[in-house]
Amino acid sequence: MGNASENFLLVSNISKDNDFIMGTLYTVLGVLSVLGNGTLLLVAYRKKASLKPAEFFVVNLAISDLGMTLTLFPLAIPSAYSHMWLFYKSTCIVYAFCGVLFGLCSLSNLTALSCVCWLKVCCPNYGNKFSYYHAYMLVAGVWCYSSVFAIGPLSGWGEYGAEPYGTACCINWHAPSTSSAAMSYIVCLFFFCYIIPCTVIFLSYTFILVTVRGSRQAVQQHVAPQNKIANAHALIVKMSVAVCIGFLAAWSPYAIVSMWAAFGNPATVPPMAFAIAAIFAKSSTLYNPIVYLVFKPNFRKFLCRDVARCRRTLGGCLCQRGSVEKTTCQQECNSTRFSNGLPESHGKCRHCPYPQTVSGNRDECTDYSPQQTVRILKGSLHQEVAVSRLSNELQSDFL
């Protein structure tokens, strides 16, 4: 706990009811962020052998979001419920430093990711040369770039202080009115860490969308199924754009309010405006895991596989189902046999997660996933083949 004078300086400037609402929202956001980003990192660890260079930015984004959650929320939640900042001034500075570092790291990471997507989609001759070494260097550059602006206020360029609503800390937005160094810091921060990244992200995805649209039109005109890799590009674009829109929508209110305080009259900015903007900013930690765990096929596949294993471990083997379920499933098995003629699909069912013999008796439980097939039109005939038999490019269209 801080001393009396320090607590007096950091008393909340909004009502107790609003502080209670903020504390509740912070609690919900914190729990969801830890679960979401923790799960995403666990899935990435499980598939680390098959991670692509561009997916390193997804992992790095989850690390920065989890870092923000673990360093800010445990301090902000009790302070909001107590209607005052409960900790020392040094803790306030550390809180502000972590908020700036992880927030700028996330935005810089999204900027680098948009550039990599643009390179791979719009300039494939160069994008195909993007290697693990390039990914490592860019991730390191993201942290270095963010550290420069996070360390600035610690070295006298800018200043950390209490938020206008009183129960958290960040950059002192009132300092530019009395310090030219603080003004130059905020100008550079706004230009290099918001305007330029947002511009790069917007232009990158604009060019990508134009390129993908042109590729789709070319495919439709020439009826060339082998060139449908554009669908995989479109999936990457949709996920990346979703993450960026969510992040920018979360941080834009805070950027607008802070610039209002820095370049206008700070006394005219309502403390509640900063409080609402801070909630939006902290919600940015949720978007990354939601998008990648729900919409990215390879992440979702590993997550479903791990969830299935956990269910078998905690609930027992799924083979021990009731006789009614067995009878129903056996009927479905008999009516939905695979018909692709492949040896490995003989006797398997589309509905059952386990192999089944012709007689309908289950074998002992194993880690098994049903055979996936695709129907391809050749001339006037349809041919059903296993997805695993397709090329990697064609697989990306179906998985």
Side-chain angles (χ1 to χ4, degrees):
M1 298 290 292
N3 54 43
S5 62
E6 191 172 85
N7 286 335
F8 175 78
L9 293 175
L10 296 180
V11 172
S12 177
N13 294 318
I14 60 178
S15 67
K16 290 186 177 181
D17 292 338
N18 289 332
D19 266 332
F20 181 83
I21 294 174
M22 286 187 62
T24 303
L25 291 175
Y26 282 161
T27 302
V28 174
L29 293 176
V31 172
L32 294 178
S33 178
V34 170
L35 291 177
N37 288 290
T39 303
L40 181 55
L41 290 177
L42 178 61
V43 171
Y45 175 78
R46 296 275 296 174
K47 68 184 294 287
K48 60 181 181 297
S50 59
L51 278 179
K52 301 174 184 178
E55 291 176 337
F56 283 15
F57 296 98
V58 180
V59 176
N60 190 46
L61 191 58
I63 292 175
S64 62
D65 288 342
L66 191 60
M68 176 180 289
T69 302
L70 296 179
T71 55
L72 302 191
F73 284 77
L75 302 179
I77 292 172
S79 296
Y81 282 128
S82 300
H83 197 54
M84 63 188 302
W85 179 254
L86 294 176
F87 308 94
Y88 292 103
K89 185 176 182 179
S90 58
T91 309
C92 176
I93 295 176
V94 173
Y95 179 101
F97 171 82
C98 292
V100 173
L101 175 64
F102 292 122
L104 294 182
C105 180
S106 296
L107 183 56
S108 302
N109 192 83
L110 289 173
T111 306
L113 177 60
S114 68
C115 293
V116 172
C117 290
W118 168 80
L119 191 66
K120 295 181 73 66
V121 176
C122 300
C123 306
N125 291 334
Y126 297 98
N128 293 334
K129 298 178 181 178
F130 188 78
S131 64
Y132 292 98
Y133 174 78
H134 298 136
Y136 292 141
M137 294 301 296
L138 275 179
V139 168
V142 163
W143 284 100
C144 292
Y145 186 83
S146 306
S147 299
V148 170
F149 290 93
I151 295 175
L154 301 179
S155 59
W157 185 39
E159 182 180 338
Y160 287 136
E163 289 272 29
Y165 55 91
T167 56
C169 301
C170 193
I171 296 169
N172 187 350
W173 303 111
H174 299 268
S177 59
T178 58
S179 172
S180 57
M183 175 61 75
S184 65
Y185 172 77
I186 290 180
V187 170
C188 292
L189 183 71
F190 184 67
F191 183 75
F192 291 103
C193 298
Y194 187 76
I195 297 297
I196 289 182
C198 290
T199 302
V200 171
I201 291 172
F202 176 78
L203 292 178
S204 296
Y205 289 116
T206 299
F207 290 138
I208 290 174
L209 291 175
V210 171
T211 301
V212 171
R213 182 179 180 182
S215 299
R216 284 181 173 178
Q217 292 176 350
V219 168
Q220 293 174 356
Q221 291 175 358
H222 296 89
V223 192
Q226 66 272 18
N227 292 330
K228 287 186 178 180
I229 191 64
N231 292 340
H233 289 164
L235 178 62
I236 296 174
V237 172
K238 290 177 182 178
M239 291 187 300
S240 302
V241 169
V243 172
C244 292
I245 289 177
F247 187 90
L248 296 178
W251 281 99
S252 293
Y254 193 87
I256 293 172
V257 173
S258 60
M259 291 304 103
W260 179 11
F263 298 108
N265 184 3
T268 62
V269 183
M272 196 60 197
F274 266 102
I276 295 175
I279 293 176
F280 274 97
K282 290 180 172 62
S283 69
S284 65
T285 58
L286 297 179
Y287 304 134
N288 178 45
I290 291 176
V291 171
Y292 282 96
L293 288 177
V294 174
F295 297 106
K296 193 166 178 57
N298 56 352
F299 277 81
R300 187 174 64 247
K301 179 178 67 176
F302 274 83
L303 177 62
C304 293
R305 183 179 302 173
D306 289 341
V307 170
R309 288 176 179 173
C310 289
R311 291 179 61 184
R312 287 197 296 271
T313 301
L314 297 176
C317 182
L318 292 180
C319 291
Q320 307 299 326
R321 291 190 291 186
S323 58
V324 176
E325 291 180 305
K326 287 185 179 181
T327 303
T328 303
C329 189
Q330 288 172 4
Q331 293 174 353
E332 291 176 347
C333 291
N334 294 331
S335 61
T336 57
R337 298 285 181 189
F338 281 110
S339 59
N340 56 13
L342 298 177
E344 64 268 26
S345 65
H346 177 71
K348 293 181 174 62
C349 168
R350 294 181 187 269
H351 304 281
C352 298
Y354 302 104
Q356 185 179 19
T357 62
V358 178
S359 61
N361 297 325
R362 298 184 186 279
D363 297 329
E364 60 183 23
C365 288
T366 57
D367 288 337
Y368 176 76
S369 59
Q371 182 75 21
Q372 294 177 302
T373 63
V374 60
R375 188 176 295 275
I376 298 178
L377 177 64
K378 290 188 175 182
S380 60
L381 301 176
H382 288 84
Q383 181 182 3
E384 190 174 8
V385 299
V387 173
S388 59
R389 296 294 183 87
L390 299 176
S391 65
N392 291 334
E393 291 185 353
L394 288 179
Q395 285 189 39
S396 64
D397 294 332
F398 301 102
L399 297 181

